[in-house]
Amino acid sequence: MSGVVNHIGKNVKLGENVRMWHFTYIGDGAEIGDNTKIGSLVHIDYGVKVGRDCKIEGNAYIPPLTVIGDGVFVGPGAIFTNDPFPMSPKMVGVTVEDGAVICAGAVLKAGVTVGERSVVGMGSVVTKDVPPDVVVYGNPARVRYSIERRKREGEKGRKEEKKKRGKKKSEKKRAHPHNKN
C-alpha cells in the first residue's frame, strides 16, 4: 500500500497546519481548527466542530453534533456518544469546552458538557455535566477535586500529607514486635 489513506468528506473546513495520521475519517461538513493533530483510526463524523490547537489521539470516536473547543486533548480510544438512548429519533451532541482534557478510554454520554480546563480521567463514564476546573473520574464519573482548590492548597496540602504518612510509618515501626518501646 502506498501513501496515506484517509477519508475527508465534502465541504470539510481544515484549518492551517492540521496534521492527520493514517486511516482518519472526517465526515461531510466537519470543521477542524488550525494546528490540530488527529491520530490514526480517528472517526470524526459529519458536522463536528473541532477548535484550534487540539490533539485527538488514535481510535477516538466523535459523532455528529459534537463541539470541541480550543486547546482540547482527547486521549486514545475516547468515545463520545450522541444517542440519548438506543435508537433515539433525536441526536444530542457532546460539548467539550476550551482547555479540557479527556483521558484514554473515557466514554461521554450524549448531551453532556465538559467545562473549561476540566480533566476526565482514564476509563471514566461521564453521565452528567462536568463543571469547569475540576477533575472527574470513575463509573459513573464524579468530581474528585477542584483544580483551583488544589492550587490553593498547593505546597501546604502536600506537606500535611507527607507528615501524615510519616506518622503512620512510625506507628507501624513501634508496633513491630522487634522494636522496643
Side-chain angles (χ1 to χ4, degrees), residues 48-119:
V48 169
K49 290 179 175 39
V50 177
R52 60 183 162 70
D53 302 313
C54 294
K55 186 171 185 183
I56 301 172
E57 294 284 346
N59 289 315
Y61 175 69
I62 304 171
L65 305 177
T66 302
V67 177
I68 296 175
D70 296 334
V72 170
F73 174 84
V74 177
I79 299 172
F80 294 41
T81 63
N82 65 355
D83 271 331
F85 54 90
M87 298 307 291
S88 172
K90 181 181 178 193
M91 294 188 298
V92 182
V94 169
T95 300
V96 181
E97 296 178 347
D98 295 350
V101 173
I102 311 297
C103 292
V107 177
L108 287 81
K109 180 182 176 216
V112 300
T113 296
V114 177
E116 290 183 308
R117 298 171 304 279
S118 285
V119 176

Coordinates of all heavy atoms in Angstrom, one line a residue, residues 48-119:
V48 N -19.2 17.8 12.8 CA -18.5 18.0 14.0 C -17.6 19.3 13.9 O -17.1 19.6 12.9 CB -17.6 16.8 14.3 CG1 -16.6 17.1 15.5 CG2 -18.4 15.6 14.6
K49 N -17.5 20.0 15.0 CA -16.6 21.2 15.1 C -15.5 21.0 16.1 O -15.8 20.7 17.3 CB -17.5 22.4 15.4 CG -18.4 22.9 14.4 CD -19.2 24.1 14.8 CE -20.1 24.7 13.8 NZ -20.8 23.9 12.9
V50 N -14.3 21.1 15.6 CA -13.1 20.9 16.5 C -12.4 22.2 16.4 O -12.0 22.7 15.4 CB -12.2 19.7 16.0 CG1 -11.0 19.6 16.9 CG2 -13.0 18.4 16.0
G51 N -12.0 22.8 17.6 CA -11.3 24.0 17.7 C -9.8 23.9 17.2 O -9.4 22.9 16.7
R52 N -9.1 25.0 17.5 CA -7.7 25.0 17.1 C -6.8 24.5 18.2 O -7.2 24.5 19.4 CB -7.3 26.5 16.7 CG -7.5 27.5 17.7 CD -7.1 28.9 17.2 NE -7.7 29.9 18.1 CZ -7.2 30.2 19.3 NH1 -6.3 29.5 19.9 NH2 -7.8 31.2 20.0
D53 N -5.6 24.1 17.9 CA -4.6 23.6 18.8 C -5.1 22.4 19.6 O -4.8 22.3 20.8 CB -4.2 24.8 19.7 CG -3.6 25.9 19.0 OD1 -2.8 25.7 18.1 OD2 -4.0 27.1 19.2
C54 N -5.9 21.6 19.0 CA -6.4 20.4 19.7 C -5.5 19.2 19.3 O -4.8 19.2 18.3 CB -7.8 20.1 19.3 SG -9.0 21.3 19.9
K55 N -5.5 18.2 20.2 CA -4.9 16.9 19.8 C -5.8 15.8 20.1 O -6.3 15.6 21.2 CB -3.6 16.7 20.7 CG -2.8 15.5 20.3 CD -1.5 15.5 21.0 CE -0.6 14.3 20.4 NZ 0.6 14.2 21.1
I56 N -6.1 15.0 19.1 CA -7.1 13.9 19.2 C -6.3 12.6 18.9 O -5.8 12.4 17.8 CB -8.3 14.1 18.2 CG1 -9.0 15.4 18.5 CG2 -9.2 12.9 18.3 CD1 -10.0 15.8 17.5
E57 N -6.1 11.8 19.9 CA -5.3 10.6 19.8 C -6.1 9.5 19.1 O -7.3 9.5 18.9 CB -4.9 10.1 21.2 CG -4.0 11.0 21.9 CD -2.6 11.0 21.4 OE1 -2.2 10.1 20.7 OE2 -1.8 11.9 21.8
G58 N -5.4 8.4 18.7 CA -5.9 7.3 17.9 C -7.1 6.6 18.4 O -7.3 6.6 19.7
N59 N -7.9 6.1 17.5 CA -9.1 5.3 17.9 C -10.2 6.1 18.6 O -11.1 5.5 19.2 CB -8.8 4.1 18.7 CG -8.0 3.1 17.8 OD1 -8.4 2.8 16.7 ND2 -7.0 2.5 18.4
A60 N -10.2 7.4 18.6 CA -11.2 8.2 19.2 C -12.4 8.2 18.3 O -12.3 8.2 17.0 CB -10.8 9.6 19.5
Y61 N -13.7 8.2 18.8 CA -14.9 8.3 18.0 C -15.6 9.5 18.4 O -16.0 9.7 19.6 CB -15.8 7.0 18.3 CG -17.1 7.2 17.5 CD1 -17.1 7.2 16.1 CD2 -18.3 7.4 18.2 CE1 -18.3 7.3 15.5 CE2 -19.5 7.6 17.6 CZ -19.5 7.5 16.2 OH -20.7 7.7 15.5
I62 N -15.9 10.4 17.5 CA -16.5 11.7 17.7 C -17.7 11.8 16.7 O -17.5 12.0 15.5 CB -15.5 12.8 17.5 CG1 -14.3 12.6 18.5 CG2 -16.2 14.2 17.8 CD1 -13.2 13.5 18.3
P63 N -18.9 11.6 17.3 CA -20.1 11.5 16.4 C -20.7 12.9 16.0 O -20.2 13.9 16.6 CB -21.1 10.8 17.3 CG -20.8 11.2 18.7 CD -19.3 11.3 18.7
P64 N -21.7 12.9 15.1 CA -22.3 14.2 14.7 C -22.8 15.0 15.9 O -23.2 14.4 17.0 CB -23.5 13.7 13.9 CG -23.1 12.4 13.4 CD -22.3 11.8 14.5
L65 N -22.8 16.3 15.8 CA -23.3 17.3 16.7 C -22.3 17.6 17.9 O -22.6 18.3 18.8 CB -24.7 16.9 17.3 CG -25.8 16.7 16.3 CD1 -27.0 16.2 17.0 CD2 -26.0 17.9 15.4
T66 N -21.1 16.9 17.8 CA -20.1 17.2 18.9 C -19.4 18.5 18.6 O -19.1 18.8 17.4 CB -19.1 16.1 18.9 OG1 -19.7 14.8 19.1 CG2 -18.0 16.3 19.9
V67 N -19.2 19.3 19.6 CA -18.5 20.6 19.5 C -17.3 20.5 20.5 O -17.5 20.3 21.7 CB -19.4 21.8 19.8 CG1 -18.6 23.1 19.8 CG2 -20.5 21.8 18.9
I68 N -16.1 20.7 20.0 CA -14.9 20.6 20.8 C -14.2 22.0 20.7 O -13.9 22.5 19.6 CB -13.9 19.5 20.3 CG1 -14.6 18.1 20.5 CG2 -12.6 19.6 21.1 CD1 -13.8 17.0 20.0
G69 N -13.9 22.6 21.9 CA -13.3 23.9 21.9 C -11.8 23.9 21.5 O -11.3 22.9 21.0
D70 N -11.2 25.0 21.8 CA -9.7 25.2 21.5 C -8.9 24.6 22.6 O -9.2 24.6 23.8 CB -9.4 26.7 21.4 CG -10.1 27.4 20.3 OD1 -10.5 26.8 19.3 OD2 -10.3 28.6 20.4
G71 N -7.7 24.0 22.2 CA -6.7 23.5 23.1 C -7.2 22.3 23.9 O -6.7 22.0 25.0
V72 N -8.1 21.5 23.3 CA -8.6 20.3 24.0 C -7.7 19.1 23.6 O -7.3 18.9 22.5 CB -10.1 20.1 23.5 CG1 -10.6 18.7 24.0 CG2 -10.9 21.2 24.1
F73 N -7.5 18.2 24.6 CA -6.8 16.9 24.4 C -7.9 15.8 24.5 O -8.6 15.8 25.5 CB -5.7 16.7 25.4 CG -5.1 15.4 25.3 CD1 -4.0 15.1 24.4 CD2 -5.5 14.3 26.1 CE1 -3.5 13.9 24.3 CE2 -4.9 13.1 26.0 CZ -3.9 12.9 25.1
V74 N -7.9 14.9 23.5 CA -8.8 13.8 23.5 C -7.9 12.5 23.5 O -7.2 12.3 22.5 CB -9.8 13.8 22.4 CG1 -10.7 12.5 22.4 CG2 -10.7 15.0 22.4
G75 N -7.9 11.7 24.5 CA -7.0 10.6 24.6 C -7.4 9.4 23.7 O -8.5 9.4 23.2
P76 N -6.5 8.5 23.6 CA -6.8 7.3 22.7 C -8.0 6.5 23.2 O -8.2 6.3 24.3 CB -5.5 6.5 22.8 CG -4.8 7.0 23.9 CD -5.2 8.4 24.2
G77 N -8.8 6.1 22.2 CA -10.0 5.3 22.5 C -11.1 6.0 23.2 O -12.0 5.3 23.7
A78 N -11.1 7.3 23.3 CA -12.2 8.0 23.9 C -13.4 7.9 23.0 O -13.3 7.9 21.8 CB -11.9 9.5 24.1
I79 N -14.6 7.7 23.6 CA -15.8 7.6 22.8 C -16.8 8.6 23.3 O -17.2 8.7 24.4 CB -16.4 6.2 23.0 CG1 -15.4 5.1 22.5 CG2 -17.8 6.0 22.3 CD1 -15.8 3.7 22.9
F80 N -17.3 9.4 22.3 CA -18.3 10.4 22.6 C -19.6 9.8 22.0 O -19.5 9.1 20.9 CB -18.1 11.7 21.8 CG -16.8 12.5 22.3 CD1 -15.7 11.8 22.7 CD2 -16.9 13.8 22.4 CE1 -14.6 12.5 23.1 CE2 -15.8 14.6 22.8 CZ -14.6 13.9 23.2
T81 N -20.7 10.0 22.6 CA -22.0 9.4 22.0 C -23.0 10.6 21.7 O -22.8 11.7 22.2 CB -22.6 8.5 23.0 OG1 -23.0 9.2 24.2 CG2 -21.7 7.3 23.4
N82 N -24.0 10.2 20.9 CA -25.0 11.3 20.6 C -26.4 10.7 20.6 O -27.3 11.4 20.2 CB -24.6 11.9 19.2 CG -24.7 11.0 18.1 OD1 -25.0 9.8 18.2 ND2 -24.6 11.5 16.9
D83 N -26.6 9.5 21.0 CA -27.9 9.0 21.2 C -28.3 9.0 22.7 O -27.6 8.3 23.5 CB -28.0 7.5 20.7 CG -28.3 7.4 19.2 OD1 -29.0 8.2 18.7 OD2 -27.9 6.4 18.6
P84 N -29.3 9.8 23.1 CA -29.7 9.8 24.5 C -30.1 8.4 25.0 O -29.9 8.1 26.2 CB -30.8 10.8 24.6 CG -30.8 11.6 23.3 CD -30.1 10.7 22.3
F85 N -30.7 7.6 24.1 CA -31.0 6.2 24.4 C -30.9 5.5 23.1 O -31.1 6.1 22.0 CB -32.3 6.0 25.1 CG -33.5 6.7 24.4 CD1 -34.2 6.0 23.4 CD2 -33.8 8.0 24.6 CE1 -35.2 6.6 22.7 CE2 -34.9 8.6 23.9 CZ -35.6 7.9 23.0
P86 N -30.7 4.1 23.1 CA -30.6 3.4 21.8 C -31.7 3.6 20.8 O -32.9 3.6 21.2 CB -30.5 2.0 22.2 CG -30.0 2.0 23.6 CD -30.6 3.3 24.2
M87 N -31.4 3.9 19.6 CA -32.3 4.1 18.5 C -33.2 5.4 18.8 O -34.4 5.4 18.4 CB -33.1 2.9 18.2 CG -32.3 1.7 17.8 SD -31.2 2.0 16.4 CE -32.3 2.3 15.1
S88 N -32.7 6.3 19.4 CA -33.4 7.6 19.7 C -33.7 8.3 18.4 O -32.8 8.4 17.5 CB -32.6 8.5 20.6 OG -33.1 9.7 20.7
P89 N -34.8 8.9 18.2 CA -35.1 9.6 17.0 C -34.4 11.0 16.9 O -34.3 11.6 15.9 CB -36.6 9.8 17.0 CG -37.0 9.7 18.4 CD -36.0 8.8 19.1
K90 N -33.9 11.4 18.0 CA -33.2 12.7 18.1 C -31.8 12.6 18.7 O -31.6 12.0 19.8 CB -34.0 13.7 19.0 CG -33.4 15.0 19.1 CD -34.3 15.9 20.0 CE -33.6 17.3 20.0 NZ -34.2 18.1 21.1
M91 N -30.8 13.1 18.0 CA -29.4 13.0 18.4 C -29.1 14.3 19.2 O -29.7 15.3 18.9 CB -28.5 12.9 17.3 CG -28.6 11.6 16.5 SD -27.3 11.3 15.3 CE -27.6 12.7 14.2
V92 N -28.2 14.1 20.2 CA -27.8 15.3 21.0 C -26.3 15.2 21.2 O -25.7 14.1 21.6 CB -28.4 15.2 22.5 CG1 -28.0 16.4 23.3 CG2 -29.9 15.1 22.4
G93 N -25.6 16.2 20.8 CA -24.1 16.2 20.8 C -23.5 16.4 22.2 O -24.1 16.9 23.2
V94 N -22.2 16.1 22.3 CA -21.4 16.4 23.5 C -20.7 17.7 23.2 O -20.2 18.0 22.1 CB -20.4 15.3 23.7 CG1 -19.3 15.7 24.8 CG2 -21.1 14.0 24.1
T95 N -20.5 18.6 24.2 CA -19.7 19.8 24.1 C -18.5 19.7 25.1 O -18.7 19.4 26.2 CB -20.6 21.0 24.5 OG1 -21.7 21.1 23.6 CG2 -19.8 22.3 24.4
V96 N -17.3 20.0 24.5 CA -16.1 20.0 25.3 C -15.6 21.4 25.2 O -15.2 21.8 24.1 CB -15.1 18.9 24.9 CG1 -13.9 19.0 25.7 CG2 -15.7 17.5 24.9
E97 N -15.5 22.1 26.3 CA -15.1 23.5 26.3 C -13.5 23.6 26.3 O -12.8 22.7 26.6 CB -15.7 24.2 27.5 CG -17.2 24.3 27.4 CD -17.9 25.0 28.6 OE1 -17.2 25.2 29.6 OE2 -19.1 25.3 28.4
D98 N -13.1 24.8 26.0 CA -11.6 25.1 25.9 C -10.8 24.6 27.0 O -11.1 24.7 28.2 CB -11.4 26.6 25.8 CG -12.1 27.3 24.6 OD1 -12.5 26.6 23.7 OD2 -12.1 28.5 24.6
G99 N -9.6 24.0 26.6 CA -8.6 23.6 27.5 C -8.9 22.3 28.3 O -8.1 21.9 29.2
A100 N -10.0 21.6 28.0 CA -10.4 20.4 28.7 C -9.5 19.2 28.3 O -8.9 19.2 27.2 CB -11.8 20.1 28.5
V101 N -9.4 18.2 29.1 CA -8.6 17.0 28.8 C -9.6 15.8 29.0 O -10.1 15.6 30.1 CB -7.4 16.9 29.8 CG1 -6.7 15.5 29.6 CG2 -6.4 18.0 29.6
I102 N -9.7 15.0 28.0 CA -10.5 13.8 28.0 C -9.4 12.6 27.9 O -8.8 12.5 26.9 CB -11.5 13.7 26.8 CG1 -12.3 15.0 26.7 CG2 -12.3 12.4 27.0 CD1 -13.2 15.3 27.8
C103 N -9.2 11.9 29.0 CA -8.2 10.9 29.0 C -8.6 9.6 28.3 O -9.8 9.4 27.9 CB -7.8 10.6 30.4 SG -7.0 12.0 31.2
A104 N -7.7 8.7 28.1 CA -7.9 7.5 27.3 C -9.0 6.7 27.8 O -9.3 6.5 29.0 CB -6.6 6.6 27.4
G105 N -9.8 6.2 26.9 CA -10.9 5.2 27.1 C -12.1 5.8 27.8 O -13.0 5.1 28.2
A106 N -12.2 7.1 28.0 CA -13.4 7.8 28.6 C -14.6 7.6 27.6 O -14.4 7.6 26.4 CB -13.1 9.2 28.9
V107 N -15.8 7.5 28.2 CA -17.0 7.5 27.4 C -17.9 8.6 27.9 O -18.1 8.8 29.1 CB -17.7 6.1 27.7 CG1 -19.1 6.1 26.9 CG2 -16.9 4.9 27.2
L108 N -18.3 9.4 27.0 CA -19.1 10.6 27.3 C -20.6 10.4 26.8 O -20.7 10.2 25.6 CB -18.5 11.9 26.7 CG -17.3 12.3 27.4 CD1 -16.0 11.6 27.0 CD2 -17.0 13.8 27.3
K109 N -21.5 10.5 27.7 CA -22.9 10.4 27.3 C -23.4 11.5 26.4 O -23.0 12.7 26.6 CB -23.8 10.3 28.6 CG -25.2 10.1 28.4 CD -26.0 10.2 29.7 CE -27.5 10.1 29.4 NZ -28.2 10.9 30.4
A110 N -24.3 11.2 25.6 CA -24.9 12.2 24.7 C -25.5 13.4 25.5 O -26.1 13.2 26.6 CB -26.1 11.6 23.9
G111 N -25.2 14.6 25.1 CA -25.7 15.8 25.7 C -24.9 16.4 26.8 O -25.3 17.5 27.3
V112 N -23.9 15.7 27.3 CA -23.1 16.3 28.4 C -22.2 17.4 27.9 O -21.8 17.5 26.8 CB -22.3 15.3 29.2 CG1 -23.1 14.2 29.8 CG2 -21.2 14.7 28.4
T113 N -21.8 18.3 28.9 CA -20.9 19.4 28.6 C -19.7 19.2 29.6 O -19.9 19.0 30.8 CB -21.5 20.8 28.8 OG1 -22.5 21.0 27.9 CG2 -20.4 21.9 28.7
V114 N -18.5 19.2 29.1 CA -17.3 19.2 29.9 C -16.8 20.6 30.0 O -16.4 21.2 28.9 CB -16.2 18.2 29.3 CG1 -15.0 18.2 30.2 CG2 -16.8 16.8 29.2
G115 N -16.7 21.1 31.2 CA -16.3 22.5 31.4 C -14.9 22.8 31.0 O -14.0 22.0 31.0
E116 N -14.6 24.1 30.9 CA -13.3 24.6 30.6 C -12.2 24.1 31.6 O -12.5 24.1 32.8 CB -13.2 26.1 30.6 CG -14.0 26.8 29.5 CD -13.8 28.3 29.6 OE1 -14.0 28.9 30.6 OE2 -13.4 28.9 28.5
R117 N -11.1 23.7 31.1 CA -9.9 23.3 31.8 C -10.2 22.1 32.8 O -9.4 21.8 33.7 CB -9.4 24.4 32.6 CG -8.9 25.6 31.8 CD -8.5 26.8 32.6 NE -9.6 27.3 33.4 CZ -10.6 28.0 33.0 NH1 -10.7 28.4 31.7 NH2 -11.6 28.4 33.8
S118 N -11.3 21.3 32.6 CA -11.5 20.2 33.4 C -10.8 18.9 32.8 O -10.4 18.9 31.7 CB -13.0 19.9 33.4 OG -13.6 20.8 34.3
V119 N -10.7 18.0 33.7 CA -10.0 16.7 33.3 C -10.9 15.6 33.6 O -11.5 15.4 34.7 CB -8.7 16.5 34.1 CG1 -8.1 15.2 33.8 CG2 -7.7 17.6 33.9

